[in-house]
Amino acid sequence: MVTKKKSTGVRGAKSRATAANRANPQTVQSAPYKEPGLMKRLAMGAVVCAEGYVFELERRGYLQAGAFVPTVLQEHPEVVEQLHMDFVHAGSDVTQALTYYVHREKLRVIGREKDLEAMNHVALKIAKKVARKTQTLFAGDICNTNIYDPNDSKALKQVARIFEEQVGWAADAGVDYIVAETFSWGQEALMALDAIKKYSKVPAVVTFSIHRELTTREGWTAAETCRRLEAAGADVVGLNCHRGPRTMLPLLKEIRAAVKCAVAGLPVPYRTTEEQPSFMSLTDPCCGGRRAFPVGLDPFVVTRQEIFDFGREAYAMGIKYLGVCCGAGPQHIRALAESLGRRPEGSKYSVDMSKHAFFGTDQKIKTVQTEYQSRL
Ligand SMILES: [Zn+2]
C-alpha cells in the first residue's frame, strides 16, 4: 500500500538535499546534490510523468486540433515553457520535450518539413531549461509515425529514418532518457526501441496504445507486446493514451504479471467504458450520439478524485511509471502526485472547503450561510 512515509520520490529527495544544505553548506558545495536517474528513481518508488501536451495546448488556444502538430514551439515558445512549469508545479517528476508529432511525416502533412530540425531543437531546448531549473528528469520523445505498414518496405525505411533522426537530436541534447509512445503497432514500438538502443545510450520507456480491440494492430495482446519489448531491451514498458483509467487498469494488471521490468500506465483523463473503451470511440448522447473526439470530450473528463483513485490502484498493483496523457491538465497531475502521498508545490492550492461561504465548517462561517446549504 502507498503511505506518505514510503513514497518520498523526487520531492522527498529534494527536501532532504535542502536540509543538508542548511546543515552543512560546505559539504554540499564540494559534493553538489545530484539527481538520481530514471531507473534509480523507479527503484525507490514512483515516477510521475505529465505528457499529452498537445491537448492542453489546444485547450489553451495555441494548437490546432486535427493535425495536432505543435507549431506553438516556433510561434509561442514561452507558452510551452510555461506549460512545462505548470506540470512540474503540479508534481511531474519529468519534463518531457514536446517532440510528439514533430517528426518528418507530420510536418510533411502540414507542409512544414523545412522546420523539422529547428522545431525539434526548440522543443528540446525548452524542456532542458525547465528540467535543469526544476531538477526534474529531462526526457526525449518519439512517437507513432502514422505511416507504419508491415507490407510497405519503403514506408518502413521512412519510419526507421524518423526514429533515427529524432533519437539523435534528443541524445545530442543530453536527455536523461527517451520515451517512445502511442504506437498502435507492436512492431513499430519495437522499431522505436531499436532506434533508442542504436542511437542513444539512455534508458528507453516504451508505451503503446490499445484501442477498442484488445490487441495491437498486428493482433498481439498488451501483455505479449510488453514481453517482446522487455526481451528487446526496453527498460520500462506499458500503455499510454487512448484508454481512460477504468479501461486501462485491467490491461496494466495483465502486463504487470507478464514482465519483470518497470511498468508504465498513462491513461487519458476520460470516462471510457466497456462499450466505448477508447477516447476515440466515445459518443456524446447529448449531441445526437456524435463522436466526441477530439474537441467534444469535455463532458467526459474525469475528476481529480478519479485520477487519485487510479494512482492509488495502479501503484498498489506495482505500476511505478505513472502519468496522464492527452487531455491531462495540471489538476490531474497534482491529484496523481497526491495519490502517491506527495505534496507538490501546487498542493498548496488543493481544495479545502472548510472556509467555503456555504459549506465551510470553520467557526468564522456564519450559520445564516450554512443553514442555507440544502437550498443551494
Ligand atoms: Zn495521448
Side-chain angles (χ1 to χ4, degrees), residues 51-52 54-55 100 181-182 209 240-242 266 268 279 325-327:
E51 63 175 38
V54 292
F55 266 60
Y100 182 84
E181 54 154 316
T182 326
S209 304
N240 83 293
C241 212
H242 288 273
L266 303 94
V268 289
F279 74 158
C325 205
C326 298

Side-chain angles (χ1 to χ4, degrees), residues 204-235:
V205 174
V206 187
T207 57
F208 55 95
S209 304
I210 295 290
H211 303 268
R212 267 185 250 204
E213 290 159 13
L214 282 168
T215 61
T216 61
R217 287 187 66 179
E218 58 266 90
W220 304 347
T221 65
E224 184 186 348
T225 310
C226 286
R227 265 196 300 266
R228 286 177 191 248
L229 288 164
E230 182 182 38
D235 298 280

